[in-house]
Amino acid sequence: AGVFNFVVKHLRTCVSHVLETPEKTLDIEQVSWFVHQGSRAVVNSVEKVLGQNSNSLFRAESYGNVVGSALPFQLFKEIPQLNKDDYIGLLAFGVGLTMGGAILKVCANPSIN
């Protein structure tokens, strides 16, 4: 419950900070999708804070909550859907009541060979 309350309380501030890039401040709608970790309950709260549709961000159905390693699992799964110049938001939070985020810009059309 402590992690859940921490995420809900601080997520909006974290996202605001990561949207401020050195070149410009991005609008949240410019981010193609967010990669995150957490249980379905936490992710549902993240969706509300980010103004996303319900059940649109939870991508861990096939492997569950694998804490921080959920980020590369989701990136690998979503690579075929990425396009050059897409922005991807990364969000991670954990039991140590820590939170981090980043915005990545896709520089080339990704593919998996």
Side-chain angles (χ1 to χ4, degrees):
V3 174
F4 178 83
N5 291 333
F6 174 81
V7 171
V8 171
K9 181 178 179 181
H10 298 286
L11 182 66
R12 189 175 309 279
T13 301
C14 180
V15 170
S16 294
H17 287 297
V18 299
L19 290 173
E20 296 173 12
T21 71
E23 299 112 23
K24 63 181 176 179
T25 298
L26 298 172
D27 191 79
I28 198 164
E29 285 81 26
Q30 291 177 271
V31 179
S32 299
W33 48 275
F34 281 87
V35 177
H36 52 79
Q37 55 144 123
S39 67
R40 184 176 293 278
V42 170
V43 175
N44 286 347
S45 293
V46 169
E47 290 169 337
K48 288 178 185 173
V49 169
L50 297 178
Q52 302 295 308
N53 292 329
S54 181
N55 296 316
S56 66
L57 292 182
F58 191 77
R59 297 182 183 92
E61 300 89 2
S62 59
Y63 46 83
N65 180 10
V66 289
V67 293
S69 61
L71 301 178
F73 278 132
Q74 290 174 63
L75 283 171
F76 184 78
K77 181 180 175 183
E78 300 293 331
I79 281 176
Q81 299 175 37
L82 295 174
N83 296 301
K84 185 178 183 299
D85 296 325
D86 279 351
Y87 288 102
I88 303 164
L90 304 178
L91 298 170
F93 28 83
V95 295
L97 301 183
T98 58
M99 180 179 295
I103 297 290
L104 304 177
K105 184 176 182 181
V106 178
C107 294
N109 286 331
S111 65
I112 300 175
N113 295 325

